[in-house]
């Protein structure tokens, strides 16, 4: 049995809990105390403050240097058949987004179109091993740091033992390099490399003129392939080497 004692605007329920209502109208607020200290305040506009006397938004929490920076904790306390632990962010008539831990696994994910009633679509996941997955939900074997998938093509970035970095595809698909939104180089799934062509037939396959500091490699008007020590590819002198098709 607790005791209710009213004195002015104060209502004391027991030795530790007190509620204080200050004035009315635009400046009124409701305060909750424990151990003689204010813990929560609801202002006249309905903003709720925890650890702050002037809450600026609907739910405003202040804490001075909490342990490991943890200002708040959201926990699913079930020990079996866990459904995850997530927070939903919504704009009316636009979309529902959510972020948090997926069901039953140690990871962090983002979903679009997700609410308590709708599962939505997972867009991004960070695994406990540090892999970033886009379009996938399962950690990839190996030293992969970024994994991308559309359900058919898998690609990514990572590193091999010895500090060698890699980027490319994990499925039977080519890999291309682009600049200014145009393809400049392609490596087929079989290893052929094309520059200036998206269907290389050899290693390498160049469609165009190659220029180096000592001269040029290219073709003349009649289709003769030349390697020349200086000047332009034309043929006939200066120690040219011709490959005639």
């Amino acid at each position: 049995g607790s005791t209710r004692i009213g004195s002015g605007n104060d209502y004391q329920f027991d030795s530790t809990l007190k509620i204080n209502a200050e004035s009315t109208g635009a400046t009124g607020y409701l305060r909750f105390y424990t151990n003689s200290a204010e813990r929560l305040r609801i202002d006249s506009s309905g903003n709720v403050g925890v650890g702050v006397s002037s809450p600026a938004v609907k739910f405003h929490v202040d804490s001075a240097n909490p342990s490991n920076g943890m200002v708040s904790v959201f926990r699913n306390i079930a020990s079996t058949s866990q459904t995850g632990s997530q927070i939903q962010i919504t704009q009316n008539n636009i979309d529902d987004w959510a972020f948090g831990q997926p069901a039953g696994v140690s990871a962090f994910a983002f979903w679009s179109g997700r609410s308590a009633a709708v599962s939505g679509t997972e867009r991004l996941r960070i695994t406990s091993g540090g892999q970033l997955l886009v379009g996938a939900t399962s950690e990839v074997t190996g030293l992969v740091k970024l994994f991308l998938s559309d359900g058919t093509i898998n690609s990514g970035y990572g590193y091999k033992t010895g500090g060698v970095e890699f980027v490319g595809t994990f499925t039977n698909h080519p890999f291309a390099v682009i600049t200014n939104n145009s393809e400049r180089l392609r490596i087929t799934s079989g290893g052929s490399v094309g520059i200036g062509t998206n269907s290389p037939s050899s290693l390498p396959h160049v469609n165009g003129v190659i220029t180096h500091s000592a001269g040029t490699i290219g073709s003349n008007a009649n289709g003769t392939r030349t390697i020349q020590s200086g000047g332009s590819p034309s043929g006939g002198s200066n120690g040219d080497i011709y490959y005639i098709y």
Side-chain angles (χ1 to χ4, degrees):
S2 60
T3 303
R4 180 179 184 277
I5 302 173
S7 176
N9 294 328
D10 292 340
Y11 297 87
Q12 188 85 35
F13 288 88
D14 54 33
S15 60
T16 60
L17 176 62
K18 181 178 76 172
I19 299 176
N20 169 265
E22 291 289 345
S23 71
T24 59
T27 60
Y29 51 83
L30 181 64
R31 299 186 292 184
F32 294 82
Y33 290 75
T34 62
N35 197 27
S36 299
E38 181 181 329
R39 307 301 184 183
L40 182 147
R41 177 179 297 212
I42 305 174
D43 68 14
S44 59
S45 64
N47 291 343
V48 178
V50 178
V52 56
S53 59
S54 301
V57 292
K58 284 300 180 184
F59 187 58
H60 185 162
V61 179
D62 276 3
S63 183
N65 290 328
S67 178
N68 290 327
M70 294 295 124
V71 175
S72 61
V73 175
F74 297 87
R75 177 180 296 164
N76 181 344
I77 62 173
S79 57
T80 59
S81 301
Q82 292 177 328
T83 57
S85 183
Q86 298 141 33
I87 296 174
Q88 178 183 331
I89 306 294
T90 298
Q91 286 193 78
N92 192 32
N93 297 323
I94 298 181
D95 202 358
D96 301 322
W97 281 80
F99 61 91
Q101 286 188 318
V105 297
S106 177
F108 191 83
F110 293 83
W111 294 261
S112 65
R114 187 173 180 83
S115 66
V118 182
S119 297
T121 303
E122 184 175 321
R123 301 301 184 182
L124 184 148
R125 177 178 295 208
I126 304 172
T127 71
S128 59
Q131 288 186 356
L132 179 61
L133 311 179
V134 180
T137 58
S138 299
E139 193 165 57
V140 184
T141 302
L143 301 175
V144 179
K145 305 310 292 181
L146 171 63
F147 183 79
L148 310 172
S149 177
D150 66 358
T152 301
I153 302 174
N154 298 337
S155 61
Y157 161 82
Y159 58 93
K160 296 182 177 180
T161 302
V164 178
E165 295 184 77
F166 67 83
V167 61
T169 62
F170 300 104
T171 48
N172 187 23
H173 296 91
F175 177 79
V177 177
I178 67 172
T179 63
N180 197 26
N181 204 34
S182 295
E183 183 175 324
R184 308 302 185 184
L185 181 148
R186 175 175 295 209
I187 305 173
T188 69
S189 59
S192 295
V193 179
I195 300 176
T197 175
N198 58 15
S199 55
S201 57
S202 60
L203 178 65
H205 182 161
V206 179
N207 180 22
V209 174
I210 301 175
T211 302
H212 60 89
S213 59
T216 59
I217 302 174
S219 61
N220 60 16
N222 63 13
T224 301
R225 299 298 189 261
T226 66
I227 302 175
Q228 185 168 305
S229 59
S232 61
S234 57
S237 61
N238 299 326
D240 296 345
I241 302 174
Y242 294 90
Y243 295 87
I244 301 176
Y245 293 83

